Amino acid sequence: MKTGAPAPLLIAVAGLSPRAGATTTTLALAHTWPGPEPALIVEAGPAGGQLADMAGADPYLGLASLARTVTPGAPIDPESLARHVQFLPGGEALLAAPPRPDPGRAVFTAELLAGPSPSWRNLGATVFADCGFLEPDSGVDSVLAAADACLVVVRADHWDPESAARRIRALTHNSRRRGIVLIGANARGEFAVALGLPLLGALPDSRARADALLHGTRPPHRRPHLLPAARAIATDLNIQLRTPAHRDRPAEPPAGATVRRNRRTRRQSAPPTIYRLEQPPAPTPHPRTPEPAVTEPTPPPPGPETPAEGGREDAGHPVEDELTGTAEPGPDTEPADSPPAPAPSEAAPALTLRVFGPTRIFWCARGTAETVEVTAQLQPRIRELLTVLALHPEGLSRAQLIDMLWGERPPERGTSTLTNTLSRLRTSLSTATGGQITGLLTDDRTHYRLSATSVRVDYWDFNAAVAERRRAEGDTDQAAAARRIAELATSELASDLTDTWVEALRESARRNALNALSWLATRNTENDPRATLGLLETTAESDPYNETVWQDILRLHARLGEYAALARTYSLLTRTLAEIGQTPSPETRQLINQLRRTTQ
């Protein structure tokens, strides 16, 4: 593994029922894994593998062949391990398993992935372990416990939500972090509401698209699209597993009969925000001040848990330090990509809010230059509230804010619920910042707006740079503003919001960013083609289906003499367009053929 490269991860994927979609989920996540390290699929299920058989590959080249060539208990050389890896038609690396149960192979696989010295880490690839059907004493318990994340795949048509929730808790009680992926159900639908557990995301139930992904063929044009949904989950997973932040476990819903009595109330309340990975609380949590009293009626307390479930939920392994961080803010909790701390000043905003990409909140302690991320110390609804206000710097009325937070499912007592949410915002900020920050809003009881003196928002800086570029009278000023736009708009705006109202803001920001990048690219081509190539690649990340940008990238690779990159770039474009059922245009095919001829 290269020095300074991210540590590889082990991500276990298991289905809550047979044929739940664990294999398709594993394949889709590995295909869309953002890296930068590659992904490797390992068929770790006790019932055997099926990917190689289905794709026409050799199921006996993989775990079976590897087990015959190694000495039990001895470390496996990375080069030896790599010789047993094959590639599926879609380009995914696979360590296959024969399509039949084998207790000996199951023991070998568990030792390979979860042993004292797991050999897979030396490959420098993140491993997606397809653990098959999740059941008690299935032989994959050690893999689930050792994994950096355990993803449980749930089909809504296989389970009622209460039974699914109980089974998930019972089977993953030893997992470090748990994420739930729904198949064939809306992540904000009735099943998700009644399930009552944090969700990582949802994938469509599309056999045609799963087959196209497996065989590397062109998927059908019709919706729903599998890969964009998988890419969103993979990106969130990558960010969370590599962000050293402490995260409190969300409160569990009432159990047993209480759930049934209150299901109607939950359905009438807000739809579930799509939570991320769930993990046990850190052993030394940050002290919290008491929450303010909630004025709405609260559900009755849950009934007593059975001995089989009581106490097991928090009995898992402690989360590793690099994943949890520390409860107290300090320099050790600062991520590598945290924003530069402002110079100590009474007038400088103490909080920085990023809404390009998933919402992230950073705090600069008064009188210091240390910047600490406090995102994980705020509940998902609080983060959503901050994001909505950040996207509306002019402020929102009470009715507008309720509509944007709860949409078509407003709470029965919307004003009281909003008041309680705002109160929790103040309490959470006070707790996360050691009492130094108690509020971010301007003093207006009917109009809610973030105070520019208390918080700095990257979206506001972006809009200011866009305005400066429009006012610029010369190329120098316009270039400075365009570079500032490019620095800020590195990801999709508010990528963790799924509401329809955000689409217009997102598209406007994307268009302004692309205009700035295009302007910079056209001005820098002659003087600095290498910098121009970087700008175009950034543009392609923001607008992946824009073939004109890809054509310019191909031309610049040829101009720089990087002829080997032509095939890689064209292959990447082909795979990207395949996600939406398209192929490169005749103009792009003609261009790549022309550039290839010039290299001969």
Side-chain angles (χ1 to χ4, degrees):
M1 187 171 62
K2 295 180 180 179
T3 303
L9 303 169
L10 174 59
I11 300 171
V13 184
L16 196 62
S17 58
R19 306 184 67 83
T23 297
T24 297
T25 301
T26 303
L27 182 62
L29 293 179
H31 183 87
T32 57
W33 182 246
E37 79 288 355
L40 170 66
I41 299 172
V42 176
E43 293 190 295
Q50 55 180 330
L51 276 174
D53 221 16
M54 294 169 61
D58 183 0
Y60 295 92
L61 174 60
L63 291 169
S65 59
L66 179 63
R68 292 194 301 267
T69 61
V70 299
T71 303
I76 303 174
D77 180 76
E79 293 184 1
S80 300
L81 182 58
R83 283 196 291 269
H84 300 269
V85 173
Q86 52 190 318
F87 292 88
L88 296 173
E92 304 84 8
L94 171 68
L95 196 61
R100 56 181 174 78
D102 185 341
R105 188 190 65 246
V107 172
F108 172 75
T109 304
E111 181 71 19
L112 174 69
L113 297 178
S117 300
S119 302
W120 64 269
R121 292 192 182 275
N122 297 326
L123 276 177
T126 282
V127 168
F128 285 86
D130 181 1
C131 297
F133 171 37
L134 188 61
E135 56 183 341
D137 302 321
S138 61
V140 295
D141 292 346
S142 61
V143 177
L144 300 180
D148 297 286
C150 174
L151 306 187
V152 182
V153 181
V154 183
R155 285 188 65 100
D157 56 349
H158 285 191
W159 290 89
D160 70 86
E162 295 171 22
S163 300
R166 287 196 299 269
R167 186 174 178 84
I168 290 170
R169 285 194 292 265
L171 293 175
T172 61
H173 65 280
N174 277 333
S175 300
R176 291 177 176 175
R177 289 187 173 186
R178 178 179 66 205
I180 299 173
V181 178
L182 289 184
I183 303 295
N186 192 317
R188 290 178 177 265
E190 289 188 1
F191 185 91
V193 174
L195 184 66
L197 291 175
L199 304 180
L200 183 60
L203 294 177
D205 181 12
S206 175
R207 179 171 294 277
R209 292 192 175 277
D211 289 342
L213 174 61
L214 175 63
H215 296 99
T217 58
R218 181 175 177 177
H221 290 277
R222 63 182 181 274
R223 292 178 179 271
H225 298 310
L226 172 63
L227 290 182
R231 177 174 287 108
I233 294 175
T235 301
D236 283 344
L237 193 60
N238 188 33
I239 291 173
Q240 292 169 75
L241 291 178
R242 286 176 171 150
T243 300
H246 168 69
R247 185 182 300 272
D248 291 330
R249 178 185 294 278
E252 294 286 356
T258 308
V259 172
R260 290 188 289 274
R261 287 196 300 269
N262 291 300
R263 184 183 298 176
R264 182 173 180 271
T265 302
R266 284 201 307 272
R267 290 179 181 175
Q268 290 177 346
S269 63
T273 299
I274 298 181
Y275 289 72
R276 305 307 181 195
L277 287 175
E278 188 180 18
Q279 69 183 51
T284 56
H286 194 289
R288 294 184 178 273
T289 56
E291 293 281 352
V294 179
T295 58
E296 290 192 320
T298 56
E305 291 186 323
T306 62
E309 291 183 15
R312 294 182 65 184
E313 181 67 10
D314 295 328
H317 296 290
V319 184
E320 296 180 1
D321 291 341
E322 66 267 20
L323 294 180
T324 61
T326 57
E328 294 291 338
D332 292 338
T333 63
E334 182 178 356
D337 60 343
S338 58
S345 169
E346 293 298 325
L351 282 187
T352 298
L353 183 59
R354 286 186 184 177
V355 292
F356 278 101
T359 299
R360 300 178 69 182
I361 303 101
F362 299 87
W363 169 54
C364 182
R366 186 181 303 137
T368 72
E370 296 176 358
T371 301
V372 179
E373 183 169 7
V374 296
T375 309
Q377 298 185 41
L378 305 181
Q379 296 175 351
R381 177 64 76 186
I382 302 302
R383 298 199 297 268
E384 186 178 4
L385 170 62
L386 285 173
T387 305
V388 171
L389 290 173
L391 295 178
H392 297 85
E394 72 286 354
L396 294 167
S397 68
R398 180 176 298 160
Q400 289 174 322
L401 194 51
I402 291 173
D403 181 62
M404 289 185 175
L405 286 175
W406 287 280
E408 297 179 356
R409 295 173 178 263
E412 293 181 359
R413 302 176 62 182
T415 300
S416 296
T417 303
L418 177 60
T419 300
N420 289 329
T421 303
L422 293 169
S423 179
R424 292 203 309 273
L425 168 63
R426 289 189 291 270
T427 302
S428 299
L429 285 175
S430 177
T431 301
T433 61
Q436 293 193 24
I437 297 178
T438 57
L440 296 176
L441 305 183
T442 56
D443 188 14
D444 188 337
R445 292 182 177 273
T446 61
H447 200 73
Y448 301 96
R449 179 165 56 90
L450 292 178
S451 172
T453 60
S454 301
V455 61
R456 181 172 184 174
V457 182
D458 59 350
Y459 181 58
W460 299 356
D461 294 341
F462 173 84
N463 286 336
V466 170
E468 289 173 5
R469 179 169 176 256
R470 290 171 179 167
R471 293 193 303 264
E473 297 181 355
D475 283 357
T476 301
D477 293 340
Q478 187 164 179
R483 280 192 291 269
R484 180 61 175 156
I485 291 171
E487 291 169 359
L488 291 166
T490 56
S491 301
E492 182 181 64
L493 182 66
S495 62
D496 45 1
L497 290 186
T498 58
D499 306 273
T500 55
W501 60 262
V502 78
E503 292 298 333
L505 296 176
R506 191 175 286 155
E507 177 60 24
S508 176
R510 187 184 70 88
R511 186 173 60 251
N512 285 325
L514 291 177
N515 288 341
L517 286 167
S518 299
W519 187 90
L520 285 172
T522 57
R523 296 305 188 278
N524 287 350
T525 301
E526 296 298 328
N527 298 330
D528 194 348
R530 176 66 60 187
T532 301
L533 180 60
L535 290 170
L536 289 172
E537 289 174 341
T538 301
T539 305
E541 292 176 1
S542 302
D543 193 12
Y545 308 123
N546 188 337
E547 282 194 69
T548 302
V549 175
W550 289 93
Q551 291 168 5
D552 289 339
I553 292 175
L554 289 169
R555 292 189 185 97
L556 269 179
H557 276 309
R559 177 178 175 180
L560 292 169
E562 299 171 346
Y563 301 114
L566 293 176
R568 294 196 301 269
T569 302
Y570 186 75
S571 176
L572 179 58
L573 169 62
T574 302
R575 293 198 303 270
T576 301
L577 292 177
E579 296 174 3
I580 58 172
Q582 300 294 323
T583 58
S585 65
E587 292 79 9
T588 303
R589 293 197 296 270
Q590 181 180 358
L591 174 63
I592 188 64
N593 291 332
Q594 177 184 348
L595 294 176
R596 283 170 174 168
R597 284 195 297 270
T598 62
T599 66
Q600 297 174 353

